[in-house]
Amino acid sequence: GAGVSQSPSNKVTEKGKDVELRCDPISGHTALYWYRQSLGQGLEFLIYFQGNSAPDKSGLPSDRFSAERTGGSVSTLTIQRTQQEDSAVYLCASSDWKGGNYGYTFGSGTRLTVV
Amino acid sequence: DAKTTQPTSMDCAEGRAANLPCNHSTISGNEYVYWYRQIHSQGPQYIIHGLKNNETNEMASLIITEDRKSSTLILPHATLRDTAVYYCIVRGVTVPRGAQKLVFGQGTRLTINP
C-alpha cells in the first residue's frame, strides 16, 4: 500500500484480556518498528525488526508483550493479560534497509484502552 | 545514540519563519540529525535529515553548525497547520544490520499563532 496501515484504529478491552494489534508496512520496507505513546507523553520504543535478523526487543516493558513479523511483512504486537497501564496509542513505522533516506513512515496508530 | 536538547515550547506568528533549535554536542561522525513532527492525534511525520551539509526540501530547511554540535530547523512561512511537537533525533546507521531505532525525546511544542 501507499502507507503504513494499522488495525484496529481503536480497541477497548477488559483488564486481563489478551489483545493483538496489526501493522501492514510499506511494501518493500525491510525494517519495522513498534512504539507506544501514553497520553501526553513522548514515544517509547518497543521492538524493531530488520530483515531476517533477530528482533531488537530491548524496549518491551514486560514479558506480557511480544511481537512477530511473518514473511518479512505484516507484524502483530500481542499484549497478554492487559493492565490499565497498557492504555496508550501503539504506533508502527517502517523504513527501507538503510533506515530510509526519507526516514520512517508511521501509521496512524491503534488507540488501546484497558478498562 | 547521541542525546539532544530542545526547548520545551515555542511560539511563532503565522506567516513568519519558525526557527527550532537543537543541541547535540555529543554527536559522533557517523550520526545523522533527523527531524520529525507530530501533529495532535497523528503519527510522527518525517521532515528532513542531514549529516553535515545544510539541507532543504519542500517542508523545511536544516542548518547544521560546522562543528555539528547543534542544528536549526527552519519552517520558512509557518501556517496554523504547522502547530505540532517537533522532535530532533540523532541516529547512526550501522552496516550490515542497517538502521537503528529512533529514540524520541520530549521535543519542542511549537504553536503557530494567527
Side-chain angles (χ1 to χ4, degrees):
Chain A
V4 176
S5 177
Q6 291 188 246
S7 61
S9 55
N10 282 284
K11 177 72 176 179
V12 180
T13 190
E14 292 181 351
K15 179 180 173 182
K17 294 287 181 67
D18 298 352
V19 295
E20 287 189 349
L21 311 180
R22 177 186 168 102
C23 173
D24 281 279
I26 290 174
S27 178
H29 278 191
T30 58
L32 186 147
Y33 312 79
W34 283 98
Y35 289 80
R36 75 175 176 181
Q37 189 169 34
S38 301
L39 186 63
Q41 301 298 309
L43 282 86
E44 175 188 4
F45 167 77
L46 296 177
I47 188 169
Y48 152 49
F49 297 89
Q50 170 63 55
N52 296 320
S53 302
D56 176 354
K57 304 180 182 180
S58 59
L60 294 178
S62 78
D63 58 7
R64 296 186 295 105
F65 287 73
S66 63
E68 290 185 337
R69 189 178 185 194
T70 55
S73 181
V74 172
S75 177
T76 302
L77 177 69
T78 301
I79 308 173
Q80 296 178 311
R81 305 181 301 282
T82 51
Q83 304 295 313
Q84 288 185 328
E85 61 262 30
D86 299 334
S87 296
V89 176
Y90 289 80
L91 291 156
C92 175
S94 71
S95 68
D96 65 28
W97 74 271
K98 290 179 285 186
N101 283 332
Y102 304 100
Y104 293 13
T105 300
F106 279 85
S108 298
T110 293
R111 182 175 299 276
L112 175 66
T113 303
V114 182
V115 297
Chain B
D1 292 331
K3 180 181 171 60
T4 63
T5 305
Q6 298 178 252
T8 302
S9 63
M10 292 182 64
D11 285 83
C12 179
E14 187 179 18
R16 305 296 293 268
N19 297 285
L20 291 89
C22 179
N23 286 324
H24 32 79
S25 58
T26 60
I27 193 171
S28 60
N30 68 343
E31 289 182 314
Y32 289 75
V33 180
Y34 280 80
W35 283 84
Y36 284 76
R37 73 180 182 183
Q38 188 173 24
I39 296 170
H40 183 62
S41 298
Q42 298 182 21
Q45 175 191 24
Y46 166 85
I47 302 173
I48 198 167
H49 77 289
L51 184 62
K52 55 184 178 180
N53 297 322
N54 297 338
E55 302 288 344
T56 296
N57 62 21
E58 65 278 5
M59 290 182 68
S61 294
L62 175 60
I63 308 299
I64 303 174
T65 58
E66 191 169 344
D67 63 7
R68 303 208 323 123
K69 293 185 177 182
S70 66
S71 61
T72 301
L73 178 74
I74 301 172
L75 307 178
H77 305 288
T79 70
L80 298 178
R81 289 177 295 179
D82 292 322
T83 293
V85 177
Y86 286 77
Y87 297 97
C88 169
I89 302 163
V90 171
R91 185 187 66 155
V93 176
T94 59
V95 179
R97 180 170 176 83
Q100 298 174 346
K101 59 184 181 283
L102 290 176
V103 177
F104 289 80
Q106 293 304 307
T108 295
R109 183 172 298 279
L110 175 67
T111 302
I112 306 301
N113 300 306

